[in-house]
Amino acid sequence: LFDGSASAKDMGSILVTDEVGNIKFDSQATPPRRVNLSDRDYFKVQRDSPNVGLYISHPFVPKVSGKEISIAMSRRITRPDGSFGGVVAGTMRLTYFRRLFAGMNLGAGGSMALMLSDGTMLMRRPFDPKIIGINLTGTANYSRFTQQPSGDFFGTAAIDGVERWYAFRHIDMYPLILDVALSTRDIYVEWRHRAWIIGSLI
């Protein structure tokens, strides 16, 4: 469990808990830190839903590893008799996605967002810490995202009111939606410049 992946950049802790949420194994400390995780959504979901499989949590500030907002990827531990035996979870800092998005050339008005399938925002470019964790359920664009596995459309962002062309995809096997959007102003800027020149000549 605690091989080279445990030291990957932006990886937080890999933890194993018992059935009441106490940490039994800890990739960051020996003996494991004395922390109870029974209040975390990923623990509750795995405890109450035997067949949920891999669960990606809502953003949170880790109790055991600092103040950087993270998500957890977790799986249930099931005893031979079928009862709940705890959770194994790996945390990832959201700065990973922030750096990844920063490398994309989307123009001055472009945006990129990763969200959970329930509409919870995990990361967005341009970055604003206030929007991490907000829920977009009920917004026009999110409603379009839920209608099909992938697609594209013109829409106006609820967050900043900018009209953009959106391309989106549900990430296979994971409860995640990724969208990339170009501002219509950026798309048409060269066309408008040419139209202005041609119009002036005419």
Side-chain angles (χ1 to χ4, degrees), residues 31-160:
R33 288 163 286 188
R34 300 175 64 86
V35 176
N36 185 280
L37 301 174
S38 61
D39 60 334
R40 293 299 193 195
D41 66 335
Y42 58 85
F43 182 89
K44 294 176 182 177
V45 167
Q46 297 292 0
R47 180 193 62 199
D48 301 338
S49 306
N51 300 314
V52 72
L54 178 68
Y55 176 77
I56 300 177
S57 76
H58 290 81
F60 63 90
V61 176
K63 295 180 179 180
V64 295
S65 60
K67 298 181 179 180
E68 291 191 63
I69 299 177
S70 302
I71 55 173
M73 294 158 282
S74 65
R75 284 192 180 276
R76 175 187 172 105
I77 299 171
T78 303
R79 295 192 179 105
D81 64 1
S83 63
F84 176 63
V87 167
V88 57
T91 63
M92 175 180 283
R93 291 182 282 273
L94 290 180
T95 50
Y96 169 77
F97 297 107
R98 184 178 179 184
R99 277 196 290 268
L100 190 67
F101 288 10
M104 300 294 291
N105 182 15
L106 302 174
S111 73
M112 189 173 183
L114 180 69
M115 65 191 75
L116 295 174
S117 295
D118 68 1
T120 302
M121 182 68 71
L122 297 181
M123 182 54 62
R124 183 177 185 270
R125 177 189 170 190
F127 178 71
D128 181 352
K130 297 188 188 73
I131 68 170
I132 303 303
I134 68 169
N135 193 285
L136 299 176
T137 301
T139 64
N141 287 353
Y142 173 75
S143 297
R144 298 286 293 272
F145 295 153
T146 62
Q147 291 173 6
Q148 51 192 5
S150 63
D152 56 85
F153 62 90
F154 283 94
T156 301
I159 291 173
D160 57 18

